Amino acid sequence: MDKGDEGYGDWEELVAAALLGTERRRGGGPAGSPEALLDAAAVLAVRRRAGLRPAEAGPRPEPAPRDPRPVPPEAAGRRLAQLLAGRSGPVNGGGRRGTAPDLTELLPQWLAAAGRYGYRAPAALVPALLDAARARTDLRPQALALAGRRGLWLARMNPDWRFALRGGSGGAGELPAVTDREAVERLWQEGLFAERVALLGAVRAHEAAAAPRLLATTWATERAEDRLMFLDSLRVGLSAQDEPFLEAALGDRSRNVRATAAELLSALPASALAGRMAERALACVGPEGVTPPAECDAGMLRDGVVKRPPAGRGERAWWLGQLVEAAPLSCWRERFGGLGPAEIVALPVAEGDGWTEELHAAWCRAAVRQRDAPWSRALLGPASAPPAAGPGTASLAERAKLLETLPHAERAEWVAEFIRAHGLSEAFQLLGVCGVPWAGTLGRAVVDALDTARDAGSYPWSFSGVMGLAERCLDPAEAGRLEALTTAAEDLPDAAPGAAAYWAEAFQRLVSTLRLRAAMLAELTPA
C-alpha cells in the first residue's frame, strides 16, 4: 500500500488519527472510517516487522565467577526448591492453618544450616533465591551468602535484584587474601559495597586493628549511610585499639555516625569517653540521692548526648538516663561503698525523688551495652518473681535484652523457670532470645506449658505466637513427647466450643513440623 492509499501514510499519522477520532480526520469518507484505520494499521504493522533490521548484538557478559564451595546433597537441593516455591499445606476456612507445616517458615533454618556446612546454592536455584531475598529482608544475609558471587553476577543484570549489590557482607563470595595488601586496597577502592563490607569483616577477623586503618583511607569520601554501616561493623571485635578512630568520629558531620561512635566508645569501659560519662554520672547519682543535670552542655553534645527528649519525657530525666547508660558499670561499686550489683539495685536509692525507675532503666541499658552478666542478673531478679516486681525493670522487652548477655544455658534455665511460674502468655519475647533448638529443661517447660494451656480449655490461637516459635525452635526430639497430645479429646465443660479439636490440630502441625525439620537437617549433613 503506497502512501496515500486508503488515505493513511506513516505510523505516526495512523496514531494521530486514532487519537483524534476518524470522523474528525480531514477528507472523511470511507478512508476515514474505523475499519479503514484498523486495516491500514494491520498492513503497516506487518511491513514494519518485515522490514526491521536486526540490531547489532551487544557484548557477551563475562562468565560468572567460579564458586569453589560444594553444592548441597541432591535431596537437600530438592528440599530448597520446595521451600523457595513456598508450597505450604492447605489452609482451611475460618483462619485455621491445618496440620501441614508452613514451609516458608522453615526456609531461614535451611539457609542457616547450609551456611554452617559451607554450601553454595545450586546454580539453577540462584534466581529463585534472589527473588525470595527480595521479598523477605530477613532472608537476605543468609540467602546472599549462599548465592555467592554468582548471585552478585546475576544481580548486575536484573534491576529487581540490585538490592544484592548493597546487601552487606552476604553474597560477596571469594575475597582476596587479607595478607595481599595490594589486592585488598584495590577491592576496597573499586569493589561493590557488599564486597567492601565483606572485605572489612575479613580484615577485622584477621587483625582487628587493621579494620579502622583501612576505613581511614576512604572515610572522608564515603557517603553518610555507608560510614554508618562501616562503623557499625566495628562492633565485632571492639577493643581499645579502636578508640582513636572512634574518638575522631565523634566530630563526624552525620548525627547518626556521631551517636554510633559514642555508643561504641561507651562499650569500652576504659575509654576516655566512658571516663567523661562516669564523671558526669557520679556527680548526679549517689547514696544520698539523685540530682539530674541542669543543662546539656557542649561537651555532653559532643559525647553523643541527644539534647531534645522524645515526647512525654522530661529533659533532665532524658539527659540523666543517657549519662548513666554510657558510664562504666564498674564505677558504681566505689560510689556505693563497695556494694555489688545486686545490693546496689536493691537499695531504695532516690525513692523519695521518684528517680528509681529512670535510674534502673538506664542501668539496664548499660548492662546490655557493656555485656555485663553480673549486673544483668541483678537487674533481672529471680524468674519466679512477678514480672512487674523485678528489681530493675517491669518491661519484658528489657528483660529479654538482659537475658542476651547471659550464657545460653543460664538463659534457658531462667526462661524455663519463668514459664513454670507464669505460663506462656508473657514468655514470647523471652523465648525469642533463647538458643535454638530448645532442649532439656526449656523444651520440657514449653511442652508442659502447652499441655497445661490445652487442659485449661482456651483456644490455641491465644498461644499462636509461642506455637509458631515452637515449630521453628523446639528440639525435633520433642516430637515423641508431643505425639500423645495430637489426639482430639472431648471439650471440657468450661472450655471454649471446639477448643479440643483446634488443639489437636495445632499439636499435629507441631509434630509434623518437628519431624520435617529433623529430615531437613539430616538431608543437609554431608555423606
Side-chain angles (χ1 to χ4, degrees), residues 79 101 105-106 109-110 436-438 468-477 510-524:
R79 181 76 67 187
E105 290 306 312
L106 295 179
Q109 291 196 23
W110 193 100
V436 176
W438 301 339
L469 273 180
E471 291 174 18
R472 298 189 294 274
C473 302
L474 260 179
D475 189 332
L510 178 55
V511 169
S512 61
T513 300
L514 293 179
R515 288 179 172 157
L516 177 58
R517 281 176 51 211
M520 182 179 78
L521 296 175
E523 292 165 355
L524 282 162

Side-chain angles (χ1 to χ4, degrees), residues 80-89 102-104 107:
L80 175 60
Q82 181 188 23
L83 297 177
L84 288 171
R87 293 196 297 268
S88 59
D102 184 350
L103 300 186
T104 60
L107 181 57

Side-chain angles (χ1 to χ4, degrees), residues 24-278:
R24 297 175 59 185
R25 186 174 180 274
R26 287 183 298 176
S33 67
E35 292 80 4
L37 176 66
L38 293 175
D39 288 343
V43 171
L44 191 53
V46 172
R47 285 185 173 181
R48 284 162 59 90
R49 291 175 182 174
L52 184 65
R53 294 182 179 180
E56 183 177 349
R60 294 181 62 183
E62 293 292 326
R66 179 179 174 273
D67 191 334
R69 298 175 297 172
V71 295
E74 186 177 348
R78 289 196 299 268
R79 181 76 67 187
L80 175 60
Q82 181 188 23
L83 297 177
L84 288 171
R87 293 196 297 268
S88 59
V91 178
N92 298 326
R96 297 173 67 165
R97 288 178 50 197
T99 61
D102 184 350
L103 300 186
T104 60
E105 290 306 312
L106 295 179
L107 181 57
Q109 291 196 23
W110 193 100
L111 295 175
R116 290 194 297 270
Y117 286 120
Y119 293 131
R120 63 174 171 85
L125 295 180
V126 173
L129 192 62
L130 291 174
D131 283 337
R134 180 192 178 201
R136 291 181 56 178
T137 56
D138 62 306
L139 296 178
R140 288 184 183 179
Q142 294 171 333
L144 295 180
L146 193 72
R149 295 186 70 88
R150 186 182 295 271
L152 288 179
W153 178 79
L154 284 173
R156 295 188 188 99
M157 304 180 192
N158 186 344
D160 289 343
W161 298 331
R162 290 298 172 91
F163 69 87
L165 304 181
R166 297 187 58 80
S169 58
E174 297 178 66
L175 295 170
V178 293
T179 54
D180 186 343
R181 181 172 299 181
E182 183 178 345
V184 167
E185 291 179 356
R186 181 167 60 252
L187 183 60
W188 182 250
Q189 295 287 342
E190 303 173 1
L192 298 168
F193 181 77
E195 294 172 319
R196 299 178 73 213
V197 171
L199 178 65
L200 186 65
V203 170
R204 182 73 161 175
H206 175 72
E207 182 187 352
R213 291 201 300 268
L214 184 63
L215 268 176
T217 61
T218 59
W219 186 255
T221 60
E222 303 286 0
R223 302 190 312 166
E225 55 266 38
D226 292 350
R227 293 200 306 277
L228 183 62
M229 291 192 68
F230 286 140
L231 196 63
D232 198 62
S233 69
L234 297 183
R235 294 181 189 276
V236 178
L238 185 67
S239 72
Q241 293 177 305
D242 301 315
E243 183 178 358
F245 182 83
L246 295 172
E247 186 74 26
L250 290 175
D252 196 89
R253 56 187 181 274
S254 166
R255 184 182 66 181
N256 290 334
V257 172
R258 295 195 303 270
T260 300
E263 180 188 344
L264 293 174
L265 283 167
S266 68
L268 297 171
S271 69
L273 178 136
R276 295 192 295 268
M277 288 300 200

Side-chain angles (χ1 to χ4, degrees), residues 312-405:
R313 295 286 300 277
E315 282 187 335
R316 299 181 71 192
W318 174 243
W319 300 334
L320 173 68
Q322 292 180 79
L323 297 182
V324 172
E325 72 178 270
L329 287 164
S330 58
C331 74
W332 299 110
R333 177 178 289 274
E334 182 178 353
R335 187 73 173 93
F336 284 92
L339 297 180
E343 297 166 306
I344 294 173
V345 170
L347 288 174
V349 60
E351 190 68 37
D353 297 327
W355 292 105
T356 303
E357 183 178 347
E358 189 71 46
L359 182 60
H360 282 183
W363 276 336
C364 284
R365 296 192 295 272
V368 171
R369 183 179 297 184
Q370 297 171 38
R371 314 299 297 175
D372 193 302
W375 270 90
S376 292
R377 293 187 189 100
L379 291 160
L380 277 166
S384 57
T393 176
S395 165
L396 286 171
E398 282 290 342
R399 284 185 161 197
K401 292 177 183 178
L402 291 169
L403 280 169
E404 289 189 277
T405 69

